[in-house]
Amino acid sequence: MTEFRSDWGQFDFVLKEYCIKNHISKNKLMRIADLQFAQLKSYYNNTVVRPDLTVLARICFALECDLSDILKYTPPKK
């Protein structure tokens, strides 16, 4: 198993910002994507540890967006 290296950069979920910008409430997203509150909360607050591709597909379907709209890669600082 490869160890985590901070010099590879990081991914951050920006779902909260996307929802605020597009006036979409957490309750509406939970209902449309058929998610549990705990599931949505971790993506919304950028605290998810192991992203679930099925959950991400449901969120993107519900929001009619691309994964790149809610997930951002930040390259390492040089």
Side-chain angles (χ1 to χ4, degrees), residues 8 10 22 25 35-37 45 47 57-58 61 69 71:
W8 290 343
Q10 69 181 42
N22 292 286
S25 71
L35 297 171
Q36 298 295 318
F37 179 75
N45 293 327
T47 59
R58 288 159 54 186
F61 175 82
D69 293 324
L71 181 66

Side-chain angles (χ1 to χ4, degrees), residues 4 8 19 25 28 46 50 52 55 65 67 70 77:
F4 176 76
W8 290 343
C19 287
S25 71
K28 181 177 180 180
N46 190 34
R50 293 180 184 229
D52 182 319
V55 170
C65 72
L67 185 57
I70 61 171
K77 296 177 183 173

Side-chain angles (χ1 to χ4, degrees), residues 13-53:
F13 283 97
V14 292
L15 179 60
K16 179 178 183 178
E17 292 83 357
Y18 184 89
C19 287
I20 290 170
K21 178 181 166 188
N22 292 286
H23 310 288
I24 300 166
S25 71
K26 287 185 278 189
N27 287 334
K28 181 177 180 180
L29 180 54
M30 276 184 358
R31 189 175 61 252
I32 296 170
D34 192 28
L35 297 171
Q36 298 295 318
F37 179 75
Q39 285 177 307
L40 179 59
K41 182 180 174 186
S42 63
Y43 289 89
Y44 196 83
N45 293 327
N46 190 34
T47 59
V48 67
V49 177
R50 293 180 184 229
D52 182 319
L53 295 177

